[in-house]
Amino acid sequence: MFAKAQPLTVAGTHLGDLALCPAEPDGFLPADARIIDALTAPVALIVHADRLNQELRAARQQTVDASAAERARIRNDRHDGLGPSLSGVALGLEAVQASVTGHSATLEELVRRLRSEVGHAVEEVRRVIDALRPSALDLHSLVPALRERALALTLAAGGRLQIAVEAPDDVPTLPEPVETAAFRIVDEALTNVVKQAGATRCRVRLSFGTVLTLEVHDDGRGMHPDRESDGRVGLLSMRRRAEQLNGSFHIVSRRRGNTVRAELPLDT
């Protein structure tokens, strides 16, 4: 049976009691009391810190759940509501433009501008959705999320492309903006490999130091690095994501094979 219950308090808040049992049959000695007094405050701080960590984890999980629900709502609204509506407007304007051609230069110009505005609106909606944190990162950390994505793309390619993700076992906890940018960059690079490169093998390599270094190498058709203006390959998007975090982005293309490399500072 414990002979003493030492209260643990921080800033006047009672956190619990520290149960103590004397080492000697005669009870606590005067020297024991001094040691207990000296240890009580640090133990109370440890207990308080542990409770704060538990509350922080619970709050973070609530935030993640709410973010995932809101992201799903926005995607559904875009897919079921705004997207089809804008597409319908664009098709209607296309029909209007065809019907007024040759009748009125002013009306033709007005319809052309309206079609352009609708096109910009569609791109803006896509940009907003693209800026959201990937849902895969709500379920997994970066490396497992990338491996899951690589498996999905491998299956989608019908087995003609094998994708491997290499990373150290001791991956540090990453700032959320870095994790999101890293996933988006690799995802875009892999999508380009599947669609454009005609590759049979692709390797994703991650290394960690003062920066997170990403490399995506494939054995497909080479591509000239000056083609960054070609929206099909998405290179401008990847470069923008890296530079927004004060990082760097490079692509090396040879006759056979491309290497996409990005470095993202970890002090973001």
Side-chain angles (χ1 to χ4, degrees):
M1 183 175 180
F2 295 109
K4 184 178 178 62
Q6 184 75 6
L8 299 176
T9 61
V10 172
T13 301
H14 181 248
L15 304 175
D17 296 318
L18 179 63
L20 301 167
C21 182
E24 301 295 335
D26 296 335
F28 291 101
L29 303 175
D32 294 331
R34 290 193 294 271
I35 294 175
I36 292 171
D37 290 340
L39 291 177
T40 298
V43 172
L45 289 174
I46 292 172
V47 172
H48 182 57
D50 182 66
R51 289 192 178 182
L52 290 178
N53 283 333
Q54 292 180 24
E55 293 173 0
L56 180 61
R57 285 194 294 270
R60 188 174 188 274
Q61 186 59 49
Q62 290 177 352
T63 301
V64 167
D65 292 343
S67 177
E70 182 66 9
R71 192 161 45 245
R73 183 191 66 79
I74 292 173
R75 285 197 177 97
N76 289 337
D77 287 349
R78 175 182 177 268
H79 182 270
D80 299 331
L82 185 58
S85 295
L86 289 175
S87 297
V89 171
L91 289 173
L93 289 173
E94 184 177 354
V96 170
Q97 186 173 29
S99 66
V100 301
T101 299
H103 289 77
S104 169
T106 302
L107 188 56
E108 285 186 43
E109 176 63 17
L110 176 60
V111 174
R112 187 193 66 77
R113 289 186 180 182
L114 288 174
R115 289 189 64 189
S116 177
E117 289 297 324
V118 171
H120 289 322
V122 171
E123 290 302 317
E124 181 66 12
V125 170
R126 289 175 179 169
R127 186 193 64 78
V128 171
I129 298 298
D130 186 56
L132 294 173
R133 177 176 168 84
S135 58
L137 294 180
D138 289 337
L139 303 174
H140 307 287
S141 57
L142 177 61
V143 174
L146 288 177
R147 285 178 174 150
E148 186 175 88
R149 180 60 176 154
L151 177 60
L153 289 172
T154 298
L155 295 174
R160 62 179 173 79
L161 172 65
Q162 297 298 316
I163 304 174
V165 178
E166 302 175 1
D169 295 331
D170 53 339
V171 175
T173 300
L174 300 174
E176 185 172 308
V178 172
E179 193 173 47
T180 298
F183 182 89
R184 293 294 194 192
I185 290 171
V186 173
D187 186 30
E188 182 69 41
L190 291 179
T191 300
N192 287 340
V193 171
V194 173
K195 292 182 176 180
Q196 307 286 340
T200 59
R201 294 186 180 276
C202 180
R203 183 187 70 244
V204 180
R205 178 177 294 171
L206 292 80
S207 58
F208 301 86
T210 57
V211 300
L212 164 57
T213 301
L214 310 167
E215 285 189 353
V216 181
H217 176 75
D218 68 78
D219 64 354
R221 291 186 294 271
M223 179 186 64
H224 197 282
D226 290 340
R227 287 181 61 195
E228 291 190 20
S229 59
D230 188 344
R232 292 183 297 109
V233 296
L235 296 181
L236 286 176
S237 173
M238 290 186 281
R239 177 179 292 279
R240 185 189 72 249
R241 290 185 184 280
E243 292 180 348
Q244 283 176 343
L245 297 177
N246 296 318
S248 62
F249 176 84
H250 305 282
I251 181 168
V252 177
S253 184
R254 298 180 176 86
R255 177 172 298 181
R256 195 68 185 168
N258 303 287
T259 300
V260 170
R261 178 185 175 92
E263 294 185 347
L264 308 176
L266 293 180
D267 57 354
T268 299

